[in-house]
């Protein structure tokens, strides 16, 4: 695309869709924090983006391979059902929120609430992440190779979280579980496939204590205030 | 005004509640469609003014044309056209059976109106029924995002971002494990054997301004062709409506506190939210200040609408279209027994027990809904015509009078006898 001639989300996405009619790979140059870029894209295409994206980048991805060489705002890959999203930069809060399939890989640091309410799929943060990762996680896998903040897995009902570095207090209904050989095999094959640099032996695994959560009961962390706007 | 779920004998109701809570230590939780409870019809304090000498002469409903259609998203490539200002609420698959959903979609489609399907997805079967009978399906984009994907949004005739349900705005939701079948689990991408949780808020809307980004996201997915509606509960109606309009919604849908809910805390159901009569003035104020009407933004209202009289009054108070939830359920066979959250619905509606569900003939039930909607539309036509109007858009506050001081005070409608608006509205 011709940098500088189109600047709004609507213009960028419209041109992107037009190009995807004719080409399997499309490149976007000079992104300047626009929101909702490359959203709802289907299978069989690749989008390479250079610059910095705003919020909801690559949301509702439906099978495309999307690469961003730069940072992204909040909720990257939101509600993805299928496909691959690669972010070579830092991302804001809520990466991988609501995803039910596909893989999101961030080679950089992430804010909090990574993979909240995810139902399936994989989110990998090759760096550090903030508080409340896996909030309400119902399924799928979150991998953070670095450190994470407090309340990881808070109100988690399913899925796994692997943490390569240190973590703060674990949230309600999460607990550390031993790293079994199948976990190591999974991580090894994941890291190999996506060229992720990390030592598998150091990882900690967090699972749901009780998948049959009674949501109507108060619990020991009732003094924890869930995150709001940041 | 009292909310509508309390027993006529409040003392007995309170004692019963205290005993239950003393026994199990839990907040009360019950379906609010229980017919043993006294219910007040919200529009009973308003009457229609027939047109005689002073204004237009009456229109003959049997001989003259009447315009009742409503267009949502009139500036878009694919606007949502309702032949009548009445649309159907279909509760989520899980809360109600597949057959019940089919019946609601079938009946709504036959009547030429839209069916708003809760909890985000439309089943293939429903899409076929709707498409075959010229129906319109509005997909709900709710905080659980069950079944939401790019294809689903692109196929919808409109998308509704649900921020709250009117009966319990601001609370989370739980679908009991006993109602989750393998099909429901697959569609919602959840596990069998434990409760499914819906958050109280959209987890990807941290700040109020985020609603604008989600409207933009949906517009990008739908190529700016499909209407986007924002649904709010009856709360701070003026500010919330203004916010939704400024965020770019094609319609604001206010779901009022009388709306049906299957379960969840009685304390919320009985105490939270603005009843339907109280939402029109603040919503109209927000529309006026933002120039929303001129931009084609529509005001949709859901409350306890039971007949054409209720619909007429809502339209005259400023609503463009109204949603029927409880009435639609009753039209397909619900007997309002209040057992919706038990999975034991004898009518095959609020159950996913295959044996019970088989009791509902969805085609027959859908036809009954069509009949009900047609009759209700005809009632609206009769009242519109006797008001001297050929078009429902001509209806306004002058077509109504309040029969009680309270209703006149709440709505700004002229009080009978006094025949003026109350002094508080004279400005």
């Amino acid at each position: 695309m011709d940098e500088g001639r189109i600047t709004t989300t609507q213009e960028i996405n419209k041109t992107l869709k037009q190009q995807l009619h004719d080409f399997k790979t499309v490149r976007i140059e000079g992104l300047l924090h626009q929101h909702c870029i490359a959203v709802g894209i289907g299978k069989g295409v690749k989008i390479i983006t250079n610059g910095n994206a705003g919020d909801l980048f690559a949301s509702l991805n439906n099978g495309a391979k999307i690469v961003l060489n730069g940072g992204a705002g909040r909720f990257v890959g939101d509600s993805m059902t299928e496909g691959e999203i690669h972010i070579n930069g830092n991302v804001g809060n809520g990466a991988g929120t609501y995803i039910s399939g596909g893989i999101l890989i961030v080679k950089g640091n992430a804010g909090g609430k990574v993979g909240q309410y995810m139902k399936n799929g994989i989110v990998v943060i090759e760096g550090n992440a903030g508080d409340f990762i896996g909030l309400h996680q119902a399924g799928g896998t979150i991998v953070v190779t670095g450190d994470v903040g407090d309340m990881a897995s808070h109100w988690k009902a399913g899925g796994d979280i692997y943490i390569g570095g240190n973590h703060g207090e674990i949230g309600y209904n999460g607990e550390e579980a031993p790293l079994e050989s199948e976990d190591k095999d999974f991580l090894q094959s994941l890291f190999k496939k996506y060229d992720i640099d990390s030592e598998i032996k150091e990882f900690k695994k967090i699972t749901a204590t009780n998948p049959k959560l009674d949501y109507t009961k108060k619990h020991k962390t009732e003094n924890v205030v869930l995150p709001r706007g940041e | 005004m009292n909310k509508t779920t309390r027993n006529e004998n409040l003392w007995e109701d309170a004692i019963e509640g205290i005993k239950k809570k003393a026994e199990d230590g839990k907040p009360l939780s019950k379906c609010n469609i229980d017919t043993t409870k006294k219910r007040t019809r919200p529009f009973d304090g308003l009457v229609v003014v027939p047109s005689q000498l002073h204004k237009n002469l009456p229109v003959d409903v049997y001989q003259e044309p009447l315009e009742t259609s409503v267009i949502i998203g009139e500036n878009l490539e694919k606007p949502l056209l309702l032949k009548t200002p009445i649309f159907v609420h279909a509760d989520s698959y899980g809360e109600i059976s597949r057959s019940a959903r089919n019946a609601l979609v079938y009946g709504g489609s036959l009547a030429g109106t839209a069916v708003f399907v809760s909890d985000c997805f439309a089943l293939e079967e429903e899409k076929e029924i709707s498409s075959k009978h010229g129906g319109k399906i509005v997909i709900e984009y709710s905080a659980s995002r069950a079944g939401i994907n790019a294809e689903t949004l692109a196929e919808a005739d409109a998308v509704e971002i649900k921020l709250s349900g009117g009966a319990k705005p601001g609370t989370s939701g739980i679908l009991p494990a006993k109602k989750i079948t393998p099909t429901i689990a697959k569609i919602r991408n959840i596990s069998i054997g434990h409760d499914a949780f819906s958050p109280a808020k959209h987890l990807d809307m941290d700040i109020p301004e985020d609603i604008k980004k989600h409207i933009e996201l949906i517009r990008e997915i739908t190529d700016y062709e499909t209407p986007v509606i924002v649904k709010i509960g009856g709360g701070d109606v003026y500010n919330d409506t203004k916010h939704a309009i400024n965020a770019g919604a094609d319609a604001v849908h206010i779901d009022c506190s009388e709306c049906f809910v299957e379960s969840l805390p009685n304390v919320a159901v009985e105490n939270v939210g603005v009843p339907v009569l109280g939402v029109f003035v603040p919503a109209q104020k927000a529309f006026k200040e933002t120039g929303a009407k001129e931009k084609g933004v529509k005001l949709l209202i859901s409350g306890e609408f039971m007949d054409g009289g209720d619909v007429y009054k809502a339209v005259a108070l400023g609503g463009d279209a109204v949603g029927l939830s409880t009435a639609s359920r009753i039209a397909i066979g619900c007997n309002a027994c209040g057992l919706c959250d038990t999975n034991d619905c004898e009518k095959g509606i609020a159950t996913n027990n295959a044996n019970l569900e088989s009791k509902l003939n969805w085609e027959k039930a859908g036809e009954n809904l069509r009949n009900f909607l047609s009759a209700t539309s005809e009632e609206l036509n009769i009242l519109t015509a006797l008001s001297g109007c050929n078009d429902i858009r001509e209806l306004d506050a002058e077509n109504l009078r309040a029969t009680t001081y309270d209703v006149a005070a709440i709505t700004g409608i002229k009080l009978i006898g006094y025949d003026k608006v109350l002094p508080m509205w004279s400005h």
Side-chain angles (χ1 to χ4, degrees):
Chain A
M1 288 186 205
D2 194 349
E3 186 184 349
R5 290 183 61 187
I6 56 173
T7 56
T8 68
T9 293
Q10 193 175 356
E11 289 169 339
I12 293 167
N13 285 331
K14 187 179 175 188
T15 310
L16 173 63
K17 284 178 187 174
Q18 286 167 349
Q19 297 289 315
L20 287 172
H21 273 292
D22 301 324
F23 303 101
K24 292 270 183 197
T25 302
V26 174
R27 187 180 294 273
I28 302 173
E29 294 288 348
L31 206 56
L32 294 168
H33 302 280
Q34 291 92 340
H35 304 302
C36 305
I37 297 298
V39 296
I41 309 291
K43 289 178 196 169
V45 296
K46 182 176 179 182
I47 298 163
I48 301 165
T49 311
N50 294 320
N52 290 305
D55 293 345
L56 294 163
F57 177 76
S59 290
L60 288 153
N61 187 28
N62 202 22
K65 181 171 183 179
I66 301 173
V67 179
L68 170 64
N69 296 311
R74 297 172 304 150
F75 309 117
V76 60
D78 188 287
S79 304
M80 171 166 57
T81 49
E82 218 181 326
E84 282 182 32
I85 302 170
H86 299 259
I87 310 292
N88 296 313
N90 298 329
V91 299
N93 282 341
T97 294
Y98 287 122
I99 74 168
S100 57
I103 182 165
L104 164 66
I105 299 173
V106 177
K107 288 181 179 281
N109 297 323
K113 302 189 290 181
V114 172
Q116 57 179 340
Y117 209 101
M118 66 184 283
K119 297 162 186 174
N120 214 331
I122 301 171
V123 179
V124 182
I125 308 296
E126 196 180 333
N128 302 322
D131 297 336
F132 287 101
I133 71 164
L135 175 66
H136 293 301
Q137 184 185 6
T141 305
I142 300 170
V143 181
V144 180
T145 64
D147 299 335
V148 305
D150 287 329
M151 293 295 123
S153 86
H154 196 54
W155 284 97
K156 172 184 168 69
D160 297 317
I161 299 177
Y162 297 97
I163 300 170
N166 298 315
H167 61 77
E169 188 182 348
I170 294 177
Y172 170 71
N173 208 42
E175 62 181 21
E176 269 200 46
L179 199 69
E180 306 287 355
S181 59
E182 56 263 36
D183 298 315
K184 289 179 183 173
D185 291 346
F186 165 75
L187 290 172
Q188 196 164 35
S189 102
L190 182 75
F191 292 175
K192 190 176 173 191
K193 185 173 178 184
Y194 294 104
D195 192 24
I196 293 160
D197 182 21
S198 196
E199 281 290 320
I200 291 157
K201 62 183 178 183
E202 302 294 335
F203 272 80
K204 300 163 191 81
K205 181 182 181 184
I206 300 175
T207 57
T209 310
N210 175 16
K212 294 189 177 184
L213 265 174
D214 182 350
Y215 292 100
T216 61
K217 280 189 176 168
K218 292 276 185 184
H219 296 282
K220 63 176 181 178
T221 55
E222 63 188 23
N223 58 336
V224 174
V225 177
L226 294 179
R228 295 196 177 275
E230 290 162 41
Chain B
M1 284 195 306
N2 287 332
K3 293 199 54 175
T4 54
T5 54
R6 292 186 193 275
N7 195 311
E8 192 167 5
N9 188 335
L10 295 177
W11 184 234
E12 276 180 17
D13 215 22
I15 290 171
E16 187 188 317
I18 291 166
K19 285 182 176 171
K20 174 90 172 38
K21 284 182 272 189
E23 195 178 306
D24 63 16
K26 288 182 176 178
L28 299 176
S29 175
K30 202 176 175 202
C31 168
N32 72 347
I33 200 170
D34 188 346
T35 49
T36 63
K37 305 287 182 184
K38 183 184 179 186
R39 300 177 84 86
T40 309
R41 293 282 299 277
F43 293 98
D44 277 357
L46 290 168
V47 291
V48 174
V49 178
S51 182
Q52 296 171 90
L53 288 174
H54 173 60
K55 277 177 67 183
N56 303 336
L57 293 173
V59 170
D60 191 321
V61 70
Y62 301 109
Q63 295 179 24
E64 297 183 59
L66 275 170
E67 180 54 57
T68 58
S69 64
V70 179
I71 301 173
I72 298 169
E74 58 191 43
N75 302 318
L76 298 171
E77 192 75 22
K78 295 178 184 169
L80 181 66
L81 172 67
L82 314 180
K83 287 183 186 167
T84 173
I86 301 167
F87 58 89
V88 174
H89 267 296
D91 300 286
S92 70
Y93 175 39
E95 284 177 21
I96 61 172
S97 67
R98 196 169 180 149
S99 297
R101 286 265 298 224
N102 284 348
L104 292 166
V105 171
Y106 184 47
S109 301
L110 290 176
T113 194
V115 181
F116 286 46
V117 294
S118 287
D119 246 333
C120 322
F121 52 84
L123 302 165
E124 284 305 317
E125 210 172 337
E126 293 170 2
K127 289 181 201 164
E128 279 172 29
I129 294 167
S130 173
S131 151
K132 190 173 170 186
H133 300 284
K136 308 278 183 187
I137 290 188
V138 180
I139 296 288
E140 207 171 67
Y141 183 88
S142 75
S144 75
R145 298 291 160 81
I148 279 289
N149 57 54
E151 286 167 12
T152 306
L153 293 173
E155 283 173 4
D157 293 299
V159 178
E160 178 171 83
I161 301 177
K162 177 189 175 185
L163 297 178
S164 274
K168 52 181 181 69
T171 59
S172 50
I174 295 161
L175 181 64
K178 61 189 168 191
K179 294 188 89 169
I180 300 174
T181 64
T183 312
I184 292 166
K186 189 180 169 194
I187 293 168
R188 290 179 175 239
N189 214 336
I190 54 177
S191 309
I192 295 176
H194 47 92
D195 297 346
F197 171 70
S198 294
K201 58 175 183 173
H202 289 253
L203 297 170
D204 49 5
M205 293 187 201
D206 278 341
I207 49 177
E209 288 68 30
D210 282 341
I211 183 82
K212 191 172 182 179
K213 289 174 193 160
H214 283 269
I215 291 176
E216 187 175 25
L217 172 62
I218 293 165
R219 293 216 190 279
E220 288 296 335
I221 301 289
T222 58
D223 291 332
Y224 288 78
E225 293 180 341
T226 307
V228 181
I229 301 161
V230 172
K231 177 178 173 179
I232 56 177
D236 183 354
V237 175
Y238 165 70
N239 284 309
D240 289 341
T241 302
K242 208 167 172 180
H243 202 94
I245 293 166
N246 289 335
D250 296 304
V252 181
H253 181 184
I254 305 175
D255 200 27
C256 303
S257 66
E258 293 90 345
C259 280
F260 166 76
V261 64
E262 283 202 344
S263 67
L264 273 182
N266 278 25
V267 69
V269 174
E270 291 186 349
N271 295 288
V272 179
V274 177
V276 66
L277 271 189
V279 305
F280 291 98
V281 171
Q284 291 290 65
K285 187 179 171 202
F287 267 67
K288 192 174 175 187
E289 287 179 7
T290 53
K293 283 282 177 201
E294 293 72 27
K295 293 175 199 161
V297 181
K298 296 294 189 289
L299 176 62
L300 315 181
I301 306 284
S302 295
E304 198 172 63
F305 297 96
M306 293 297 189
D307 60 26
D310 292 344
V311 176
Y312 175 100
K313 291 167 189 174
V315 173
L317 286 167
D320 290 295
V322 302
L324 269 55
S325 174
T326 308
S328 298
R329 248 194 215 215
I330 291 169
I332 65 166
C334 167
N335 63 359
C337 66
L339 297 176
C340 301
D341 56 343
T342 64
N343 205 30
D344 295 328
C345 173
E346 286 289 333
K347 298 291 182 182
I349 296 170
T351 182
N352 294 307
N353 176 320
N355 290 333
L356 293 173
E357 185 183 347
S358 67
K359 294 183 177 181
L360 183 70
N361 176 338
W362 67 260
E363 285 179 304
K364 176 74 176 66
E367 283 162 12
N368 289 345
L369 175 59
R370 184 264 316 271
N371 293 343
F372 166 70
L373 293 172
S374 300
T376 305
S377 297
E378 189 58 24
E379 289 170 347
L380 171 67
N381 290 352
I382 291 167
L383 295 177
T384 304
L386 67 79
S387 304
C389 299
N390 291 95
D391 189 329
I392 55 165
R393 282 164 288 203
E394 294 169 28
L395 301 177
D396 61 23
E398 276 302 311
N399 296 105
L400 297 173
R401 291 291 184 275
T403 57
T404 70
Y405 193 91
D406 281 353
V407 171
I410 291 165
T411 59
I413 297 292
K414 289 177 181 174
L415 181 65
I416 53 166
Y418 185 58
D419 209 32
K420 286 185 286 188
V421 297
L422 296 180
M424 67 174 79
W425 292 104
S426 304
H427 50 74

